């Protein structure tokens, strides 16, 4: 079955994961003659609900601070047979302490879902927590609230790497978190293919994640682990982060990266860039908006790990091996392209106009079958939206894919396209790629692997209207779009890690500065073109 277990660490990651799970839930089919494109057993665990009916719930463990779950209850409609005051015994068989806090009222959207009614449209004002737009039920064992810290507390902020490390250490000593929370899901799996971790990289969750990953790697030494590390650069753009706080976040990231790098198969730092294509319009101050765009890219690029089609299916381990083809290059960049697809009537009206020709050029660039794009760009495909953080202390306005002059050397790349037609050109490109996989590549040749599925990305009623058509109007909910998404390891990591080392060096205590600096330099050297162990050139670049 090749199951994937998910770890969700913190508010930002839970926004991201909620978009992910809502999308997975939309792939379920309820007709016997309609086979889904997705193997649901990979991410969903079957079970029996309170009323005896068959249920499917995500294979995930959700951690958040006190107050971070919003109106979501520990139990739900599928596990509602507990008497008042009773604790679900699947969670803990020892003595319990009851902690009550004022109940957060359900949003109108959640009330409508519970009543089986058409939910009202969501807005940035009505989405207060990630649970406000959640469409799935979770097993009670999946929900883990950490009462030691409160969400958005100014008295005890959860913002330093060391704070996350200390919290994990204390909880793990008392409860053995891996045994209590994660192992039950792993032991249910028939043949686990990997673990994906969604976490913050630049706050206390980075320290929590680093310690958790160390425990997991000790127990499951050969398991593929993908780490999706979110950063909040958008806070700078809306004026919500001082220079001092930004420096703290960069120091947190430096510590997290050097630790997570040791245990993860692939680490993907990402943030929403300042400059986006005209077909994407979002509110930079809304976690709901920012994580929606990131989720579309992440959900698309990981499709090969759960597709039924054997020609376009691969495990997390295979994807990790492709990206890390050169050795210790496990820090990857996330990219995505999207182009609105007009109706045939719109094409007839616009044909011969300047707008029509511009759209054709755009579609040639970013609306192609992955195998064709890989064949035409053997040195790497650069998509319209680049989610790679700038790692600069001051706000730097960076665009999407960049021009030809600032494109780094790509060492390896995984490219996934969805929704585009499979024509003769695409089929020939795919066959040529399959043949090329069995040939030995030189150390300077880009390693590429492409995947394709006709399954388009659904625009659910829980997803914000951030995508635009050619006239600038929001795409309607209930539709679907074509997406191309990529993961790449490239030489730009060298420069960013060197810059990060220089920036945070002055803010790190003397006892840790040398070790952290050396570890960042060693990581950077793995991405340096032409680097050899006998040269110290450019050490302080």
């Amino acid at each position: 079955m090749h199951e994937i277990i998910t770890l969700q660490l913190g508010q930002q990651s839970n926004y991201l994961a909620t978009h992910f799970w809502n999308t997975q839930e939309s792939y379920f089919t309820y007709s016997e003659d309609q086979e889904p494109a997705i193997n649901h057993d990979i991410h969903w665990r079957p079970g029996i609900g309170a009323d005896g009916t068959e249920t499917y719930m995500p294979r995930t463990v959700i951690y958040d601070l006190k107050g971070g779950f919003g109106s979501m209850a520990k139990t739900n409609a599928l596990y509602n047979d507990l008497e008042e005051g009773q604790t679900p015994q699947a969670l803990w068989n020892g003595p319990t302490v009851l902690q009550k806090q004022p109940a957060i009222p359900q949003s109108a959207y959640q009330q409508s879902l519970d009543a089986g009614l058409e939910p009202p449209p969501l807005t940035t004002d009505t989405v207060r927590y990630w649970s406000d737009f959640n469409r799935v039920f979770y097993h009670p064992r999946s929900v883990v609230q950490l009462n030691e810290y409160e969400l958005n507390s100014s008295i005890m902020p959860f913002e330093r790497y060391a704070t996350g490390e200390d919290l994990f250490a204390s909880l793990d000593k008392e409860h053995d978190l891996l045994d209590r929370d994660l192992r039950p899901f792993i032991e249910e799996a028939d043949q686990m293919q990997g673990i994906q971790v969604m976490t913050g990289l630049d706050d206390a969750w980075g320290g929590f994640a680093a310690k958790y990953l160390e425990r997991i790697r000790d127990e499951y030494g050969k398991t593929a682990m993908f780490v999706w590390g979110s950063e909040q650069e958008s806070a700078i753009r809306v004026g919500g982060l001082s220079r001092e706080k930004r420096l703290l976040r960069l120091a947190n990231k430096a510590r997290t990266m050097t630790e997570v790098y040791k245990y993860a198969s692939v680490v993907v730092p990402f943030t929403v860039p300042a400059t986006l294509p005209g077909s994407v319009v979002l509110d930079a101050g809304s976690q709901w908006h920012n994580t929606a765009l990131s989720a579309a890219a992440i959900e698309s690029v990981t499709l090969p790990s759960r597709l039924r089609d054997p020609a376009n299916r691969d495990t997390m381990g295979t994807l990790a091996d492709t990206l890390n083809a050169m050795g210790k290059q496990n820090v990857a960049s996330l990219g995505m392209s999207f182009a609105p697809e007009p109706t045939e009537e719109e094409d007839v009206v616009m044909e011969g106009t300047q707008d029509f020709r511009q759209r054709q050029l755009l579609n040639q660039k970013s609306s192609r079958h992955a195998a064709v794009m890989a064949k035409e760009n053997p040195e790497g495909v650069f998509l319209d939206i680049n989610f790679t953080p700038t790692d600069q202390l001051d706000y730097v306005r960076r665009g999407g894919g960049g021009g030809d002059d600032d494109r780094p050397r790509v060492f390896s790349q995984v490219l996934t396209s969805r929704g585009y037609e499979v024509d003769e050109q695409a089929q020939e490109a795919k066959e040529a790629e399959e043949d090329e996989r069995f040939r030995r590549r030189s150390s300077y040749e880009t390693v590429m692997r492409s995947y394709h599925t006709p399954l388009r990305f659904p625009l659910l009623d829980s997803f914000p209207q951030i995508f635009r058509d050619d006239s600038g109007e929001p795409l309607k909910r209930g539709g679907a779009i074509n997406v191309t998404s990529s993961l790449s390891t490239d030489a730009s990591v060298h420069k960013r890690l060197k810059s990060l080392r220089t920036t945070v060096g002055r803010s790190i205590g003397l006892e840790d500065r040398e070790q952290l600096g050396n570890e960042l330099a060693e990581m950077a050297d793995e991405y340096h073109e032409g680097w050899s162990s006998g040269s110290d050139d450019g050490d302080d670049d």
Side-chain angles (χ1 to χ4, degrees), residues 15 19 26 34 92 112 117 131 202 204 272 278 324 413 464 479-480 525:
Y15 268 87
H19 285 299
S26 73
Q34 188 178 10
W92 176 244
S112 298
L117 304 174
S131 57
D202 57 356
V272 173
N324 198 9
Q413 186 173 65
D525 285 338

Side-chain angles (χ1 to χ4, degrees), residues 195-331:
I195 298 172
Q196 66 172 356
V197 181
M198 300 179 180
T199 182
L201 283 187
D202 57 356
D203 56 16
W205 288 110
F208 193 94
K211 288 300 182 183
Y212 214 139
L213 286 169
E214 183 179 7
R215 281 291 320 276
I216 295 172
R217 185 55 77 200
D218 285 343
E219 293 275 341
Y220 305 96
K222 296 183 178 180
T223 299
M225 289 198 292
F226 273 56
V227 176
W228 304 100
S230 62
E231 300 182 39
Q232 299 187 38
E233 286 191 354
S234 59
I236 304 175
R237 301 195 290 273
V238 295
L241 209 62
S242 67
R243 184 181 176 87
E244 180 183 0
K245 292 289 187 182
R246 173 64 173 156
L247 183 58
L248 172 61
R249 286 191 173 274
L250 289 175
N252 290 336
K253 177 182 179 175
R255 292 177 182 273
T256 303
M257 289 293 291
T258 55
E259 292 302 312
V260 170
Y261 178 80
K262 302 172 185 177
Y263 312 117
S265 306
V266 176
V267 185
V268 187
F270 67 91
T271 192
V272 173
T275 304
L276 293 166
S279 55
V280 180
V281 178
L282 53 74
D283 181 349
S286 167
Q287 287 184 307
W288 179 47
H289 276 215
N290 287 325
T291 54
L293 183 62
S294 304
I298 292 172
E299 200 277 328
S300 296
V301 80
T302 57
L303 274 173
S305 66
R306 54 188 176 275
L307 288 174
R308 289 187 178 274
D309 177 15
N312 286 284
R313 182 179 67 226
D314 263 327
T315 64
M316 288 176 64
T318 301
L319 298 179
D321 290 342
T322 301
L323 290 168
N324 198 9
M326 301 295 182
K328 296 182 179 180
Q329 297 171 339
N330 60 351
V331 179

